[in-house]
């Protein structure tokens, strides 16, 4: 049995967001109650009670009164990846700081603050039956299984990204060692379009991999030759954290993205409500 985990003390993150480029102070604080409680512009709600929207560039949370926080996936991945169950997240801007473009700086600072166990056992939610969302040749699925297994397949036309598959048994140490540092990425040819739509304004070669026609544009190249599929797993873990509880099962994604992750989360949601003690 695993006990619920929170932080020993609050952690403050300052920086600009990936897409809006606006400054934000994010405070991640210990919480006695259960779950991820988010606060923005005077509104407060548990993550699983928020309306969520996934599109090709990220995941947005919408509060009942209309407040929003976008691009939450790298922050939520750090929390879920480290098996942190109960925290309050308050934002004074529209998007958490992008930091390193992955989850490593979030996770590193959370670990420095210290993680403490509570008395209560964590309600780990087990996938009860195979649930599949398929859109053409893109797919996301949740299958019954032991532990928290994640498999991702990417298939990009650009040969620098290419076709890759990675399957991991996710634990805090696997998350830190293999996933947390993988950075967000985009194609150079999409950058102008993104910027014209007000996106990627906080993106730099320090926090995002930019893939050109024949080369990676970042001076240091990639951190791993399969950094792209590692980052997709990071995004998937962050999006699955929207369910608000630790998960047991095998989670599979093929050529997916935030939109399809979100559709799988919606398929899983009714089972989670039934399966959980509502506090
Ligand atoms: Zn991402």
């Amino acid at each position: 049995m695993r006990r619920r985990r929170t932080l020993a003390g609050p952690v403050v993150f300052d920086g600009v967001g990936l897409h809006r480029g606006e400054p934000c102070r994010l405070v991640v604080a210990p919480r006695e109650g259960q779950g991820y409680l988010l606060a923005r512009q005077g509104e407060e709600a548990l993550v699983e009670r928020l309306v969520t929207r996934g599109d090709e560039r990220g995941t947005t949370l919408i509060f009942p009164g209309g407040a929003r926080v976008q691009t939450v996936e790298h922050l939520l991945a750090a929390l879920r990846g480290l098996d942190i169950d109960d925290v309050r997240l308050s934002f004074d801007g529209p998007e958490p700081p992008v930091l390193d473009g992955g989850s490593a700086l979030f996770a590193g600072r959370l670990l420095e603050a210290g993680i403490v166990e509570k008395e209560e056992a964590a309600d780990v939610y087990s996938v009860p039956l195979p649930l599949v969302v398929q859109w053409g040749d893109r797919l996301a699925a949740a299958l019954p299984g032991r532990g928290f297994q994640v498999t991702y397949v990417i298939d990009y036309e650009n040969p620098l990204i290419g076709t890759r598959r990675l399957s991991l048994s996710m634990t805090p140490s696997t998350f830190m060692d293999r996933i947390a540092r993988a950075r967000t990425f985009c194609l150079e040819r999409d950058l102008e379009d993104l910027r014209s739509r007000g996106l990627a304004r906080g993106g730099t070669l320090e926090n995002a991999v930019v893939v050109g026609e024949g080369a990676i544009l970042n001076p240091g190249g990639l951190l791993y030759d399969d950094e792209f599929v590692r980052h997709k797993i990071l995004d998937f873990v962050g999006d699955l954290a929207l369910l608000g509880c630790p998960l047991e099962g095998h989670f599979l994604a093929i050529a997916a993205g935030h939109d399809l992750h979100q559709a799988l989360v919606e398929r899983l949601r009714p089972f989670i409500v039934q399966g959980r003690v509502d506090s």
Side-chain angles (χ1 to χ4, degrees):
M1 180 199 74
R2 179 168 83 70
R3 294 187 186 282
R4 299 190 73 87
R5 286 148 56 101
T6 186
L7 294 173
V11 188
V12 179
F13 297 95
D14 283 302
V16 300
L18 173 63
H19 285 304
R20 303 273 293 261
E22 291 183 29
C24 178
R25 168 164 288 190
L26 158 69
V27 182
V28 185
R31 180 158 193 258
E32 289 216 358
Q34 297 193 349
Y36 302 148
L37 186 72
L38 282 83
R40 165 101 180 109
Q41 291 177 328
E43 293 197 71
E44 212 174 59
L46 287 168
V47 71
E48 64 270 30
R49 304 275 158 85
L50 297 170
V51 172
T52 58
R53 205 167 63 199
D55 64 23
E56 82 273 32
R57 293 299 155 193
T59 296
T60 299
L61 299 174
I62 305 164
F63 289 76
R68 290 166 179 250
V69 190
Q70 69 186 75
T71 329
V72 292
E73 57 271 18
H74 305 159
L75 165 65
L76 293 180
L79 294 166
R80 183 79 290 142
L82 294 176
D83 280 343
I84 297 171
D85 304 295
D86 305 324
V87 283
R88 183 175 188 275
L89 306 163
S90 61
F91 302 83
D92 77 353
E95 193 178 21
V98 56
L99 306 180
D100 57 356
S103 298
L105 285 178
F106 283 126
R109 297 274 316 282
L110 297 173
L111 286 171
E112 272 170 34
I115 295 173
V116 291
E117 290 196 338
K118 297 178 162 185
E119 287 296 310
E120 311 125 81
D123 290 323
V124 177
Y125 174 74
S126 300
V127 178
L129 74 173
L131 296 166
V132 180
V133 183
Q134 187 169 10
W135 296 345
D137 50 12
R138 306 173 64 212
L139 179 145
L143 310 169
R146 306 211 43 180
F148 180 31
Q149 304 280 334
V150 183
T151 297
Y152 219 107
V153 180
I154 59 169
D155 182 16
Y156 281 77
E157 262 175 50
N158 188 307
L160 292 169
I161 307 177
T163 303
R164 291 285 188 148
R165 174 184 166 281
L166 183 60
S167 193
L168 292 174
S169 180
M170 197 63 66
T171 62
S173 62
T174 319
F175 182 79
M176 287 306 288
D177 293 347
R178 303 195 54 187
I179 299 301
R181 293 179 67 215
R183 295 163 293 177
T184 189
F185 60 95
C186 75
L187 300 176
E188 183 187 20
R189 66 160 193 240
D190 294 339
L191 258 184
E192 199 170 316
D193 174 53
L194 284 171
R195 294 228 158 106
S196 73
R197 292 192 284 137
L199 299 170
R201 288 185 173 170
T204 68
L205 291 175
E206 298 295 307
N207 59 33
V209 178
V210 181
V211 185
E213 281 309 318
I216 304 293
L217 302 192
N218 305 64
L222 295 174
L223 297 173
Y224 317 97
D225 70 343
D226 63 351
E227 186 168 0
F228 305 108
V229 73
R230 293 185 195 223
H231 186 80
K232 295 296 279 191
I233 287 185
L234 186 160
D235 281 341
F236 197 24
V237 170
D239 287 337
L240 289 168
L242 297 168
L243 290 162
C245 57
L247 299 167
E248 183 176 71
H250 190 165
F251 298 85
L252 167 70
I254 300 173
H258 298 292
D259 52 355
L260 202 44
H261 301 165
Q262 189 56 51
L264 181 66
V265 162
E266 295 309 326
R267 284 295 302 279
L268 278 157
R269 216 183 270 285
F271 296 94
I272 300 275
V273 172
Q274 286 164 17
R276 234 185 137 190
V277 182
D278 215 349
S279 52

